[in-house]
Amino acid sequence: MNEPVYASPSAGLPPQTALHTGRAVFTEAYAVIPHGVMRDIVTSFLPHWNDTRAWVIARPLSGFAETFSQYIVEVLPGGGSDRPEPNPEAEGVLFVVAGQASLTIDGQDHMLTPGGYAFLPPTCDWSLRNKSSEPARFHWIRKRYESVDGIAMPTAFVSNENDEPIRWMAGTNDRWGTTRFVDPTDLRHDMHVNIVTLEPGAVIPFEETHVMEHGLYVLEGKAVYRLNRDWVEVEAGDFMWLRAFCPQACYAGPGRFRYLLYKDVNRHMKLGL
Ligand SMILES: NC(=O)N[C@H](N)C(=O)O
């Protein structure tokens, strides 16, 4: 398998002489944040993290309808946090795209390298440091965990995408597949963060329209992606945010196309008034 290509957020600013061009879109059903707009001046700093900045690429907007937030976090050598998560109800997934992160979960040390993945249930005691000489960059996806009476809390685990198989969809001749880190029938989990792979020229051949909300971060390649009524071109480093029920489909190519995919799963809907 080829090494994946993880794009970096851009630094600095375009020159003052540059014509304004851009692919950023924000609509009622979806947003596209292209890598070219993830620049230094749009970063955030986080409480109790040192030598660290973050691009917040998804957050709950309306206060009740959206489920998750997603950050691209960049930790400089020597940086990190011993008090990373302020909310005891939050669960998290970390996915490393560059550099090395030293993660400690409940006293156990783990080294996360590109492709490294960690699931962090609420109240687990974790800390993260960059002990290397290069910046570390990772996605941090956070959600309020919805506990259910009679179902145990999921436990923490660490993995790497290279240690997990791609499960190809039936009927696609091994052209459209998903790398899963959690068994879909494990109802302790109320969110999945998977990796979707489409081989060159492969398609999502119908407009998936479903209740799950999505964050899609393109890890590798290019595609034309259907979002609601529009077709948008995306490439490695771009992020797409999809509200529940946003129709979605895809033509991948010319190379392999892969993305990190968040979805909320396995819980009843909140009741209306
Ligand atoms: N846009 C997507 O990749 N959606 C997935 N098939 C999914 O909902 O799991």
Side-chain angles (χ1 to χ4, degrees):
M1 183 179 135
N2 293 335
E3 284 295 306
V5 178
Y6 298 121
S8 317
S10 316
L13 286 173
Q16 293 278 302
T17 50
L19 281 182
H20 173 261
T21 56
R23 297 182 293 117
V25 185
F26 183 77
T27 75
E28 74 282 10
Y30 71 88
V32 178
I33 307 180
H35 58 85
V37 304
M38 295 183 210
R39 292 183 178 271
D40 296 339
I41 62 165
V42 297
T43 51
S44 302
F45 298 103
L46 299 170
H48 303 301
W49 285 80
N50 70 288
D51 292 328
T52 300
R53 60 184 185 160
W55 286 265
V56 177
I57 52 177
R59 57 168 284 184
L61 287 181
S62 61
F64 60 91
E66 300 89 11
T67 53
F68 76 110
S69 57
Q70 183 161 347
Y71 314 149
I72 301 174
V73 183
E74 189 174 75
V75 183
L76 296 179
S81 179
D82 299 323
R83 296 175 61 185
E85 174 54 80
N87 189 329
E89 293 177 58
E91 61 188 325
V93 162
L94 308 180
F95 181 78
V96 174
V97 291
Q100 298 182 350
S102 301
L103 175 69
T104 304
I105 309 174
D106 295 328
Q108 288 262 11
D109 294 332
H110 306 271
M111 175 62 82
L112 297 184
T113 53
Y117 185 109
F119 172 72
L120 304 161
T123 71
C124 84
D125 182 19
W126 65 279
S127 60
L128 186 143
R129 291 270 148 212
N130 181 354
K131 297 181 182 167
S132 78
S133 54
E134 299 292 324
R137 198 170 320 110
F138 58 90
H139 286 252
W140 182 9
I141 297 168
R142 299 171 65 236
K143 177 184 179 302
R144 183 184 301 278
Y145 181 69
E146 272 190 63
S147 51
V148 177
D149 186 35
I151 296 186
M153 183 87 84
T155 50
F157 66 85
V158 169
S159 182
N160 189 293
E161 61 162 320
N162 298 315
D163 300 331
E164 307 286 346
I166 300 178
R167 298 184 193 281
W168 299 104
M169 302 271 253
T172 68
N173 295 326
D174 293 359
R175 307 206 36 82
W176 173 20
T178 303
T179 307
R180 296 182 189 286
F181 297 87
V182 163
D183 177 351
T185 64
D186 183 347
L187 293 192
R188 294 174 306 162
H189 287 276
D190 68 350
M191 74 169 181
H192 290 162
V193 178
N194 298 327
I195 295 173
V196 175
T197 299
L198 290 138
E199 295 296 344
V203 300
I204 296 181
F206 72 110
E207 289 195 356
E208 285 189 31
T209 306
H210 51 58
V211 69
M212 296 92 172
E213 200 187 348
H214 280 332
L216 277 94
Y217 178 80
V218 181
L219 296 167
E220 180 181 357
K222 292 179 192 291
V224 184
Y225 220 94
R226 177 76 178 188
L227 296 170
N228 202 13
R229 300 180 204 91
D230 306 318
W231 287 101
V232 296
E233 278 185 283
V234 289
E235 65 177 0
D238 292 349
F239 180 71
M240 291 172 267
W241 174 80
L242 279 63
R243 276 214 158 108
F245 301 109
C246 176
Q248 56 207 262
C250 169
Y251 289 100
R256 199 178 216 208
F257 179 59
R258 301 185 328 122
Y259 50 88
L260 189 69
L261 177 80
Y262 161 87
K263 62 199 289 188
D264 51 307
V265 294
N266 297 341
R267 291 295 182 267
H268 283 291
M269 299 302 106
K270 292 185 182 66
L271 296 178
L273 294 177

